[in-house]
Amino acid sequence: MKSQHLKLGFLASRNGSSMRAILEAIRIGILDAEARLVVSNNRSAPALEAATAAGVQTLHLPTQADPDAADAALAKAMVEAGVEWIVLSGYLRRLGPKTLAAYRDRILNIHPGPIPAFGGEGMYGRRVHEAVVAAGVAASAITIHLVDEEYDHGAVLAVREVPLEPDETAESLEARLTGLEPEVFVETLQRLASGQLALP
């Protein structure tokens, strides 16, 4: 796979920690990419402020009142902004068919646990870490995968295994993985841009 200049769009519902790390990686020149658009379903999302401060175009797009219209508007906005890859950075809404069709195999999400074992509908945030600790497994993982119609189902692109400590709690595991997630996302995009990441 050849190298490419990534034209990125972001979806974030809250802080957008991975988005912020990616924007910084672009700014300091360690990621061959540009941010074209940041969209949030939450008007007060700190991610929108961070994007504006970085000079990136933003859009607030409510999804609850009319999900179909929001899906069409999202796909249109991303295409018109010249976005080629969409990054989910804590986006708490299921994507609709128009956006999924327009960006088939070009939407990346990060999941705070191994999938499929600790993925699926309702498995996000603290719930994932609680399930991992309760299962008594030796390690959790940060997983980056492509997004399709099912929760946490698309092809896995990158995995960073994180061994559990002897006295691990859901809270301590969440803190450790949350701290690592932005770094893993940046590394994955670097591999994608350089042509080192084999896509399915």
Side-chain angles (χ1 to χ4, degrees):
M1 197 176 164
K2 63 181 183 179
S3 62
Q4 59 181 312
H5 178 72
L6 304 178
K7 297 174 182 177
L8 302 176
F10 297 87
L11 294 173
S13 293
R14 294 176 181 166
N15 195 48
S17 299
S18 290
M19 177 207 77
R20 292 168 186 256
I22 293 164
L23 293 182
E24 177 62 11
I26 294 170
R27 187 188 72 79
I28 65 177
I30 63 171
L31 176 61
D32 183 13
E34 60 185 285
R36 292 295 188 97
L37 180 64
V38 175
V39 179
S40 182
N41 59 304
N42 175 11
R43 185 184 299 278
S44 59
L48 292 178
E49 293 180 21
T52 299
V56 182
Q57 179 185 348
T58 63
L59 174 65
H60 168 237
L61 191 59
T63 57
Q64 288 183 311
D66 190 340
D68 290 339
D71 175 34
L74 176 58
K76 182 172 185 286
M78 288 289 182
V79 170
E80 289 183 349
V83 169
E84 294 179 354
W85 295 88
I86 295 177
V87 171
L88 304 191
S89 184
Y91 189 65
L92 305 178
R93 290 288 181 270
R94 186 195 288 269
L95 295 181
K98 288 186 172 61
T99 302
L100 288 169
Y103 288 92
R104 176 70 56 189
D105 294 334
R106 287 181 173 264
I107 305 173
L108 286 75
N109 183 49
I110 192 163
H111 185 75
I115 56 176
F118 297 97
E121 188 166 4
M123 289 294 286
Y124 59 88
R126 180 68 60 80
R127 295 179 184 182
V128 177
H129 308 299
E130 288 172 346
V132 167
V133 171
V137 295
S140 188
I142 295 166
T143 307
I144 295 182
H145 64 95
L146 297 177
V147 175
D148 60 17
E149 289 78 5
E150 297 181 45
Y151 283 116
D152 307 322
H153 175 263
V156 171
L157 302 183
V159 177
R160 170 81 67 87
E161 191 171 272
V162 180
L164 268 64
E165 302 291 347
D167 58 348
E168 198 78 75
T169 65
E171 291 80 4
S172 65
L173 184 59
E174 180 178 44
R176 290 201 293 132
L177 267 71
T178 299
L180 290 171
E181 284 178 5
E183 171 189 318
V184 175
F185 225 142
V186 169
E187 287 178 359
T188 303
L189 290 173
Q190 287 171 328
R191 290 173 56 218
L192 179 61
S194 67
Q196 296 173 0
L197 182 62
L199 293 172

